Amino acid sequence: MIVFLLYVAFFCALAVYDARHAKTVRGFFVNDNRSGSIQVGFSLIASCVGGSATIGMCGLAWKVGLPAIWWLASGAIGLAFLTLTLARRICRTRALTMPEMVKTHLGPYAMPVMVFVIWVAWISILAAQFSAMSRIVSGLTDWPLQRSLVAGAVFITFYTLLGGQTSVLRSDVVQFLVLLLGLIILLAWVCFHAPVAVWENSDWRLLNDRFTLSRWTYFMLLMGGSYIVCPMLFSRFLSARSEACAFRAGWLSVFGLLLTALVIVLIGIGATRILPPGDGSGDAVLMTLVGRMPAVFRVFLALAMMSAIVSSADSCLLAVSTVLSNDFLKRPALSVTRACIFVVSVFAFCLCCMGRDILGYLLMANNIYVCGVVAPVFIAFCFRRKLQPVLAAASICVGGILGLASELIENPIYSYCGISASILLAVAAAFSGSHEPDPVPPDRLDSAFGKE
């Protein structure tokens, strides 16, 4: 318990300190557009590798083997595509949020629908992080899961509410390095204690009978698609000081995600040598391994995973709250944004109490978001088209509803139909619309390879 309290005290003190330097809306939202490549790149990695990757992905690897790497590898592919196509242009806009960048492209009907879909989807993602946080806190304090859930949610909310983007970016570099070191230590321990070497008698195929082509397609569309148009990732590129900085940060994060995915999957595969195979949720696999380590390593690993969860949860919470205040309420004041942070946290906490496992939260969120929002936003922004307003709104609504139906009915065909319908409607809206050049501020006409 003492370790957890010291951890909370440290990051809360950091947030209080950063709150003194985040007194403007631009500072709280995008760190005054002054972040460097290393800071943005590591923050992108830390934001993507949260409780879903550290706990859920390890459990999936325990069940299906190497194909679990597609959890983050699909995201790395989506992030690479985002970096190649949009990273420079995102940084150039100097917008505060992703919806602000495309509001003139989508029209008055689609904007509130998009904000609502983002709100629903990102609350699900935040609930997944709260759920993962409760397991870590429970392991450190011996509290029951419900009390640990409350403690973790309160900490994440308070920390984000105070420091905003400034403290998030400042802490992400250290948090990711601590996480990576902890995972490498855990992998070394698993390899040393496994009765059979991890690389012996293992199936190293990227697809197998437990993870088929249809499931790979599902991950590529749902996981990978969410990285192409993502308000959380867009906010990182918006924080970069130049277009060249954003471009380099994107590639740094792609390679960092692949490295992290490989380490986590190897831990999960190694766990099959130590833990007996079985059915049911694999969410407890990683924590079970940590529980068998010596006390010093056990505490360090718990703090490393807590850092991963905090760095992802605060980014998610900040992204959806800034969208609500700036693009839905049209009041991007710090007091309003902080109130939105509190409200979003309450909703995510309630959703977390429903008891779904971590992978379920993520897939539910991605179903709704990817099926509804990715196609119209990407087409509008990448091709500089002002979409026909009614068709643009229909693209988001139809795709999002079919994505939600896929989750509720548990039939992936609805997700494929939702994505297809959203793309077709967005393309029709683009052909029915007009060309809309990007508004480029005079002070942002720097070259993609200009000075930082």
Side-chain angles (χ1 to χ4, degrees):
M1 182 185 299
I2 295 177
V3 173
F4 171 68
L5 294 178
L6 289 174
Y7 181 93
V8 169
F10 172 78
F11 280 100
C12 286
L14 177 65
V16 170
Y17 174 80
D18 287 329
R20 301 166 53 192
H21 302 278
K23 295 182 177 180
T24 66
V25 170
R26 183 162 292 276
F28 193 87
F29 279 43
V30 292
N31 195 34
D32 287 319
N33 309 104
R34 56 186 175 86
S35 304
S37 300
I38 299 296
Q39 191 176 43
V40 174
F42 276 77
S43 183
L44 283 166
I45 303 170
S47 298
C48 296
V49 184
S52 60
T54 54
I55 297 177
M57 187 177 173
C58 183
L60 186 62
W62 177 68
K63 290 181 176 181
V64 306
L66 184 61
I69 199 171
W70 290 112
W71 186 318
L72 279 181
S74 60
I77 293 172
L79 185 55
F81 186 74
L82 170 62
T83 301
L84 279 173
T85 57
L86 298 182
R88 293 188 179 100
R89 294 184 57 210
I90 291 170
C91 181
R92 189 187 309 154
T93 64
R94 271 195 179 274
L96 293 176
T97 62
M98 184 189 79
E100 181 181 318
M101 296 166 54
V102 294
K103 62 182 179 182
T104 59
H105 298 73
L106 294 182
Y109 306 127
M111 276 297 294
V113 178
M114 180 178 66
V115 172
F116 176 76
V117 172
I118 289 174
W119 180 71
V120 172
W122 255 251
I123 282 178
S124 301
I125 296 174
L126 184 60
Q129 306 301 341
F130 282 177
S131 177
M133 186 71 168
S134 68
R135 289 177 170 82
I136 306 299
V137 175
S138 180
L140 282 172
T141 62
D142 291 326
W143 290 344
L145 279 178
Q146 193 66 27
R147 182 188 299 177
S148 300
L149 176 61
V150 173
V154 169
F155 164 55
I156 292 172
T157 302
F158 181 74
Y159 166 77
T160 308
L161 187 145
L162 284 179
Q165 197 74 265
T166 303
S167 60
V168 169
L169 286 164
R170 184 191 298 273
S171 61
D172 275 353
V173 176
V174 176
Q175 288 173 335
F176 173 69
L177 291 175
V178 170
L179 170 68
L180 185 59
L181 177 60
L183 291 175
I184 291 173
I185 291 174
L186 178 57
L187 177 59
W189 182 88
V190 168
C191 291
F192 182 77
H193 286 82
V196 180
V198 173
W199 53 85
E200 291 185 9
N201 301 322
S202 294
D203 184 359
W204 298 108
R205 293 177 297 171
L206 290 173
L207 297 175
N208 56 38
D209 56 352
R210 291 166 294 172
F211 195 98
T212 61
L213 180 61
S214 62
R215 196 171 185 188
W216 174 85
T217 303
Y218 190 70
F219 266 63
M220 288 298 296
L221 288 175
L222 272 296
M223 294 293 191
S226 66
Y227 283 69
I228 297 175
V229 175
C230 173
M232 184 171 67
L233 302 185
F234 273 41
S235 68
R236 294 299 183 272
F237 288 119
L238 289 170
S239 301
R241 68 167 64 107
S242 73
E243 295 173 39
C245 173
F247 188 74
R248 289 194 292 267
W251 285 116
L252 172 63
S253 62
V254 169
F255 292 115
L257 280 178
L258 292 174
L259 173 62
T260 307
L262 179 61
V263 174
I264 295 173
V265 167
L266 289 177
I267 292 172
I269 294 173
T272 62
R273 307 291 197 269
I274 300 174
L275 305 178
D279 298 326
S281 173
D283 288 350
V285 170
L286 191 143
M287 292 308 300
T288 302
L289 290 175
V290 172
R292 297 189 178 192
M293 297 181 72
V296 174
F297 292 132
R298 188 163 61 243
V299 172
F300 182 79
L301 261 295
L303 293 179
M305 287 183 288
M306 187 181 297
S307 296
I309 294 166
V310 171
S311 65
S312 181
D314 58 13
S315 300
C316 175
L317 180 55
L318 185 64
V320 66
S321 301
T322 52
V323 166
L324 283 177
S325 63
N326 186 67
D327 304 297
F328 183 73
L329 300 177
K330 309 296 183 184
R331 296 181 60 190
L334 294 185
S335 59
V336 176
T337 304
R338 285 173 169 144
C340 289
I341 289 174
F342 176 77
V343 172
V344 169
S345 296
V346 171
F347 274 94
F349 176 84
C350 294
L351 180 59
C352 192
C353 292
M354 291 171 56
R356 295 173 62 94
D357 65 19
I358 291 174
L359 181 57
Y361 283 127
L362 267 293
L363 292 181
M364 181 172 70
N366 284 324
N367 268 334
I368 300 170
Y369 178 79
V370 175
C371 293
V373 174
V374 171
V377 171
F378 182 82
I379 289 174
F381 190 66
C382 188
F383 296 97
R384 306 183 186 185
R385 301 292 300 181
K386 185 173 183 180
L387 306 188
Q388 203 280 333
V390 175
L391 290 176
S395 173
I396 297 174
C397 290
V398 173
I401 291 172
L402 288 173
L404 178 59
S406 174
E407 175 62 24
L408 296 178
I409 303 174
E410 299 183 352
N411 188 341
I413 192 66
Y414 288 94
S415 294
Y416 304 144
C417 291
I419 294 173
S420 301
S422 183
I423 292 174
L424 291 175
L425 288 169
V427 170
F431 278 106
S432 303
S434 59
H435 181 73
E436 183 77 15
D438 287 336
V440 183
D443 61 338
R444 294 293 288 178
L445 293 175
D446 55 313
S447 167
F449 300 97
K451 295 182 179 180
E452 293 190 24

